[in-house]
Amino acid sequence: MEAREVLENHALKTTSCRHEVLGLLLSTPQALSQSEIEKSIDPDTDRVTVYRTLKTFLEKGLIHKVLDDSGATKYALCIDCGVNDHNHEHVHFKCNECGQTSCLDKVSIPVINLPPGYKITEKNILVHGICQNCG
Ligand SMILES: [Zn+2]
Ligand SMILES: [Zn+2]
Ligand SMILES: [Zn+2]
């Protein structure tokens, strides 16, 4: 899929920043942090614009947050998400060798039974190990 097409499908106007950031995420299999994104796009783009672009993408169901132990929030593309149906019950994998974090879309998070009185709003599982490329 092309960036322009994805933006149109989500009723988003194409701006150069949106186009660049989305194009980068489409061509990168791993999750990326904002600073990694900034390094790979037009250096004249200011941080606030990148931040707003990511925020819009998050709200519209184009990307989701991937929590990382480095403290940096990373972002990964959504597959088949929409504004009202943002579902990310899949495992994220961080490689000890290359440090890359990726979505394991096919691996769902197991059911977690909480004690009475607790309610789940979000589940995040980060699995550490050696990835396909490094193994
Ligand atoms: Zn999503
Ligand atoms: Zn690796
Ligand atoms: Zn993911």
Side-chain angles (χ1 to χ4, degrees):
M1 244 278 238
E2 231 234 288
R4 196 172 299 273
E5 210 179 320
V6 177
L7 289 170
E8 273 170 22
N9 287 346
H10 288 80
L12 285 168
K13 264 193 272 173
T14 302
T15 64
S16 62
C17 182
R18 283 176 182 173
H19 193 262
E20 266 198 298
V21 171
L22 188 59
L24 178 66
L25 288 162
L26 283 167
S27 62
T28 314
Q30 292 90 19
L32 295 171
S33 66
Q34 182 174 339
S35 60
E36 286 172 318
I37 291 168
E38 284 165 2
K39 275 179 221 148
S40 309
I41 63 172
D42 182 353
D44 290 336
T45 315
D46 72 60
R47 302 199 56 177
V48 179
T49 310
V50 177
Y51 174 78
R52 288 212 192 101
T53 298
L54 291 170
K55 196 163 173 273
T56 305
F57 286 177
L58 282 169
E59 285 164 5
K60 297 288 181 182
L62 271 76
I63 60 174
H64 59 280
K65 283 186 185 176
V66 178
L67 299 184
D68 199 310
D69 62 341
S70 67
T73 302
K74 294 190 174 183
Y75 303 91
L77 274 188
C78 288
I79 307 188
D80 293 333
C81 272
V83 183
N84 300 316
D85 185 25
H86 234 336
N87 180 25
H88 304 285
E89 305 259 303
H90 59 257
V91 166
H92 290 123
F93 188 92
K94 174 149 189 182
C95 177
N96 298 336
E97 294 289 326
C98 62
Q100 301 284 10
T101 308
S102 26
C103 293
L104 299 182
D105 298 299
K106 303 271 184 306
V107 185
S108 45
I109 295 179
V111 175
I112 296 169
N113 295 307
L114 292 179
Y118 290 83
K119 192 170 163 273
I120 293 178
T121 54
E122 205 183 311
K123 292 191 272 188
N124 286 298
I125 290 192
L126 184 66
V127 176
H128 294 254
I130 310 293
C131 80
Q132 246 175 359
N133 298 333
C134 300

